[in-house]
Amino acid sequence: MNTIAEHIADFLKEYPPFDNLTFQELSEIASNIHVLNLEKNAILFQINDVLHDSFYVVASGTINLSTIADAEETILNKCHEGDVFGLRPFFAKNNYMMTAKAREESIIYAIPIAVFRPFVANNSNVLNFLLESFAVNSRHTKDTVSGSKQISDTGFYVDQQTEMQYIQSLSYNNSPLTADQNSIVKDVAQLMTNAMVDNVVVTEKKHPIGIVTEADLSSKIATGRYPITETIDKIMSSPVVTVIENVSLAEAQLLMLKHNVSHLCVTKDGTSKSVVKGIISEHDLIVAQASNPGVLIKEIKRAQLAKDLKQIRDRLSDLIQNSIQKNVPLSHITNIAGEINLAIIRRAVELSILDLGSPPARFAWLSTGSQGRKEQLLLTDQDSILIFEDVAPEKYRDVKDYFLRLAKRTSSILEKVGYSYCPNGHMGSNMLWCKSLTDWTKQYNSWMNTPGENSNDLSSIFFDYEIVFGEPKIEEALENVIFKNATNNTLFFDFLGNDALRKNSPLSFFKKLILEEEGPHKGKFDIKTRALMPLIDSARLLILSSNIKGIKNTYLRFKQLAITDSKNAEIYLSCAEAFLTLSKFRTIEGLKNDDSGEYVNIKEFSKIDREKLKNALQPMKDLEELIKSKFQLTQFS
């Protein structure tokens, strides 16, 4: 073996995924590698270039991966020594979606995909590494430092690694063309042409035994290897790779790569011993990638009108529905939906600024309530506050006037997207909730230090907030005011505690669900007021009193409390799970009836779901006792 290849193999074995291969395997790969010397600023490939037949490893130097949006180049990732990039040809057939450019003089190893593919098929560690790198393109060097914002090879932010891919639903052909093994090739080719498809599944007793694609016709018939009068079993590829009906994008990609095939056959139980239900092609994977969450966020950034944002929000609803049907963990779905909701609100603020001109002062737009907690899976109402920096007294009126106009415009865009106006007027477009930092500081001081006197306009949603747009230091200043006032503030916690416990118990003394007795929702269960709100309120109360900053989401609040207050961990963890179960029931109800899902119809529940619901309500009693003893609440005001 020549010394250059040996040197390359020595280098590769230090880095994943090559550290999973034997030296023998590495030597074989190394002897097929092309070494590229790139000058500073040389471009290896750029957006929309046709895919290369190799992927790349940085031997020395640095390669910048960048994308261009709105005529602006954004560097998504820097690849250093040992980093793998340019994996797109492994997973997709469309052109490159980013540009690779040498930041300095660099040496790159080009590894031909045809040479590398067999090692991938035999080694699941290598396969998983490549799939993850493609989805995330994270740094995988010897001294990997994780925790940075991660970016995928398709050019969008992904915090939860390949989680996006696992949520991704796949649409595919549910009525595939089938033929039996004795059909004549000419007739089958005619069928394919008439149906405008590029494949036919060969079946025996409705079970798949092979597949014929356009590629088979061109490589085996057009070349004259077989006559057109031959039976189809002679040219079919067999056996077929089969999958179950609700396979995810990531799993489908893995299987195609692993078996080096361009089609997967969907069967009733996922094996070749059951009925054919559909066919997934590489094209279906490319289409699925276009509706993934990262792509939605990119489209939001480009949207110019409320109706563009509405269309994206409708697609988010489909994504949520598909994810729930696939039993994707609700905490994952909430994470992704939360990011997309915030991106929509951010874009609404940006569009308003484009209309009104630059703001006269720095400000922060905060989403409050369920949007601030990133728990809004359904199209419920909008809640927000606007805080602007302190300005000279003579400027105050004009500045406030600008921000009120900005808030009204933003709220109006959001209303067109489908987030209805808050019935209680808790929005930045309301004079009361659009003011300077000093005025907000006074407001919170008054609410927290004399809560009884201000109980009419004190809404707990003002303690759940997330900055959507503007100056992070303003949000920080508000947080400091809240936590300073919270220290040893028994009066405030007494008020919040009683408020949390005032919501009526969801279960009667005899463990029966308490249903609505009158009105339009008679006979239904108010899952929001009786079940979710007590959990949301209690988590907020406990997190504020434990002086834990920065955690706004109810599920994560309970998880954090279980760590901080370990002797009550069991109660908190049960509450975290209960919150997810109840939220899921509410979301399913809301998607079904196209409403807020507040009232669920227990009569339509299966026996198992009824039990699940009752079990989710059990930890509330313990939580109530815990709060009573922690805050010594005896009277219920």
Side-chain angles (χ1 to χ4, degrees):
M1 177 176 141
N2 70 32
T3 49
I4 294 178
E6 223 167 284
H7 173 74
I8 293 175
D10 271 332
F11 172 84
L12 291 177
K13 75 170 195 291
E14 294 293 327
Y15 297 97
F18 311 105
D19 55 359
N20 286 292
L21 300 173
T22 64
F23 196 73
Q24 187 60 47
E25 291 172 322
L26 283 174
S27 306
E28 193 182 323
I29 292 162
S31 51
N32 286 289
I33 277 175
H34 306 294
V35 180
L36 309 175
N37 290 295
L38 298 183
E39 299 280 311
K40 185 177 178 177
N41 291 332
I43 287 175
L44 184 58
F45 56 78
Q46 56 189 1
I47 296 169
N48 282 333
D49 275 3
V50 173
L51 298 180
H52 298 180
D53 56 8
S54 299
F55 69 101
Y56 302 99
V57 180
V58 181
S60 69
T62 308
I63 300 291
N64 281 350
L65 296 182
S66 60
T67 180
I68 292 173
D70 307 330
E72 193 180 312
E73 186 176 29
T74 309
I75 292 179
L76 294 176
N77 212 354
K78 294 184 175 124
C79 298
H80 302 275
E81 191 177 296
D83 282 345
V84 174
F85 69 98
L87 288 168
R88 192 158 197 81
F90 257 119
F91 295 94
K93 290 287 175 268
N94 46 352
N95 297 349
Y96 283 112
M97 292 179 75
M98 50 174 70
T99 295
K101 183 180 188 179
R103 188 176 171 202
E104 56 200 73
E105 244 179 83
S106 303
I107 297 172
I108 304 298
Y109 295 149
I111 304 180
I113 285 171
V115 172
F116 197 70
R117 206 184 272 278
F119 300 106
V120 178
N122 301 329
N123 191 320
S124 60
N125 290 343
V126 174
L127 182 55
N128 290 334
F129 175 87
L130 290 184
L131 193 85
E132 201 163 293
S133 296
F134 173 67
V136 183
N137 194 8
S138 55
R139 294 284 308 284
H140 282 280
T141 43
K142 278 182 282 195
D143 54 353
T144 297
V145 181
S146 64
S148 58
K149 229 359 179 187
Q150 297 194 307
I151 292 121
S152 90
D153 199 34
T154 43
F156 51 80
Y157 290 90
V158 183
D159 276 312
Q160 287 88 13
Q161 301 248 337
T162 35
E163 187 179 292
M164 297 282 200
Q165 308 265 23
Y166 282 99
I167 282 192
Q168 211 45 59
S169 58
L170 262 177
S171 299
Y172 51 83
N173 180 1
N174 290 321
S175 44
L177 208 52
T178 57
D180 71 40
Q181 56 191 8
N182 300 319
S183 307
I184 304 299
V185 169
K186 184 182 175 188
D187 302 337
V188 172
Q190 194 57 56
L191 274 175
M192 283 164 67
T193 307
N194 294 347
M196 294 197 297
V197 293
D198 66 355
N199 64 82
V200 62
V201 182
V202 184
T203 57
E204 189 178 351
K205 297 183 183 148
K206 294 192 175 171
H207 297 177
I209 56 166
I211 185 168
V212 172
T213 63
E214 263 176 10
D216 294 314
L217 293 176
S218 55
S219 67
K220 296 169 186 171
I221 302 294
T223 54
R225 271 170 63 195
Y226 293 94
I228 200 158
T229 51
E230 191 58 87
T231 54
I232 198 162
D233 56 336
K234 301 286 189 302
I235 68 160
M236 72 185 183
S237 304
S238 179
V240 250
V241 182
T242 54
V243 292
I244 48 171
E245 291 186 73
N246 61 351
V247 64
S248 72
L249 175 60
E251 291 160 319
Q253 278 183 327
L254 266 170
L255 286 164
M256 279 191 193
L257 189 69
K258 191 171 178 177
H259 298 285
N260 196 11
V261 295
S262 57
H263 292 81
L264 301 172
C265 183
V266 182
T267 63
K268 198 169 167 94
D269 69 1
T271 73
S272 56
K273 300 282 177 278
S274 71
V275 179
V276 175
K277 289 295 213 176
I279 193 94
I280 298 171
S281 68
E282 279 180 316
H283 177 71
D284 297 326
L285 299 193
I286 292 162
V287 170
Q289 280 176 324
S291 69
N292 90 17
V295 174
L296 293 185
I297 285 185
K298 261 174 133 176
E299 286 182 28
I300 290 166
K301 287 178 177 166
R302 289 195 214 112
Q304 295 300 325
L305 301 164
K307 71 172 192 332
D308 304 337
L309 290 173
K310 181 182 187 331
Q311 189 231 336
I312 296 167
R313 184 61 185 77
D314 293 344
R315 278 159 60 197
L316 172 61
S317 294
D318 296 341
L319 188 73
I320 292 168
Q321 194 146 20
N322 286 330
S323 307
I324 283 179
Q325 278 166 354
K326 282 194 173 169
N327 278 322
V328 172
L330 200 76
S331 52
H332 290 359
I333 304 173
T334 316
N335 271 339
I336 288 165
E339 289 307 323
I340 293 174
N341 277 324
L342 285 187
I344 289 174
I345 301 165
R346 186 176 302 125
R347 189 62 185 150
V349 178
E350 285 170 0
L351 291 173
S352 305
I353 291 173
L354 285 171
D355 262 359
L356 291 174
S358 297
R362 283 181 297 197
F363 75 104
W365 178 285
L366 304 185
S367 271
T368 55
S370 64
Q371 281 176 342
R373 293 191 302 273
K374 291 193 180 165
E375 290 167 1
Q376 192 185 44
L377 289 173
L378 297 160
L379 273 166
T380 49
D381 58 347
Q382 41 177 307
D383 296 297
S384 59
I385 64 176
L386 193 150
I387 310 172
F388 52 87
E389 64 181 347
D390 292 320
V391 293
E394 63 274 14
K395 287 191 181 158
Y396 188 93
R397 253 189 86 174
D398 289 346
V399 170
K400 177 160 179 165
D401 186 51
Y402 170 91
F403 285 118
L404 275 171
R405 293 207 315 274
L406 175 76
K408 281 201 166 80
R409 194 157 292 214
T410 305
S411 294
S412 153
I413 292 173
L414 292 174
E415 200 261 340
K416 291 188 180 88
V417 173
Y419 304 101
S420 55
Y421 290 124
C422 171
N424 303 320
H426 292 146
M427 295 179 296
S429 52
N430 178 335
M431 302 209 31
L432 288 171
W433 315 133
C434 168
K435 49 195 173 192
S436 70
L437 183 56
T438 294
D439 286 350
W440 271 114
T441 304
K442 286 181 191 154
Q443 178 75 71
Y444 275 91
N445 288 342
S446 141
W447 274 335
M448 295 178 75
N449 297 322
T450 53
E453 296 164 32
N454 293 287
S455 55
N456 290 346
D457 65 359
L458 167 55
S459 170
S460 50
I461 65 165
F462 291 114
F463 295 92
D464 301 331
Y465 48 83
E466 175 81 37
I467 184 164
V468 173
F469 189 95
E471 181 57 62
K473 286 194 169 62
I474 293 180
E475 183 195 29
E476 236 170 84
L478 183 71
E479 185 148 65
N480 292 336
V481 169
I482 290 173
F483 279 93
K484 192 172 133 230
N485 278 321
T487 315
N488 302 325
N489 189 339
T490 42
L491 193 66
F492 176 61
F493 292 126
D494 189 54
F495 179 83
L496 279 192
N498 281 311
D499 194 47
L501 300 182
R502 198 183 292 115
K503 311 280 192 294
N504 295 333
S505 160
L507 290 171
S508 71
F509 190 64
F510 300 108
K511 297 280 187 288
K512 269 202 156 78
L513 280 176
I514 296 177
L515 306 178
E516 295 300 294
E517 289 177 5
E518 52 195 14
H521 303 291
K522 189 174 176 198
K524 288 185 178 175
F525 176 60
D526 183 348
I527 198 164
K528 179 186 169 184
T529 313
R530 286 185 182 273
L532 286 163
M533 286 317 288
L535 287 172
I536 293 167
D537 291 342
S538 304
R540 179 192 307 110
L541 162 70
L542 291 160
I543 219 90
L544 281 171
S545 66
S546 308
N547 199 28
I548 298 167
K549 291 184 177 178
I551 301 180
K552 310 289 172 25
N553 176 278
T554 304
Y555 172 73
L556 295 178
R557 280 172 169 173
F558 279 124
K559 297 284 269 194
Q560 182 59 47
L561 287 163
I563 297 166
T564 316
D565 174 13
S566 54
K567 69 175 193 299
N568 293 306
E570 209 175 303
I571 298 176
Y572 297 135
L573 292 173
S574 310
C575 288
E577 286 313 310
F579 180 74
L580 290 183
T581 304
L582 295 165
S583 299
K584 190 168 178 177
F585 280 132
R586 179 182 177 181
T587 306
I588 291 168
E589 191 76 18
L591 289 168
K592 191 167 75 187
N593 304 317
D594 204 14
D595 62 15
S596 72
E598 179 169 348
Y599 296 94
V600 294
N601 193 349
I602 307 293
K603 293 187 190 78
E604 291 174 6
F605 274 34
S606 66
K607 198 167 177 226
I608 293 173
D609 280 348
R610 242 177 244 205
E611 277 313 297
K612 265 194 198 159
L613 179 63
K614 278 196 176 173
N615 291 340
L617 300 170
Q618 296 301 342
M620 291 202 178
K621 201 74 201 134
D622 296 333
L623 185 64
E624 190 176 313
E625 292 310 318
L626 175 79
I627 288 174
K628 279 184 189 168
S629 71
K630 230 186 205 335
F631 300 100
Q632 282 137 28
L633 300 176
T634 43
Q635 42 64 281
F636 281 102
S637 51

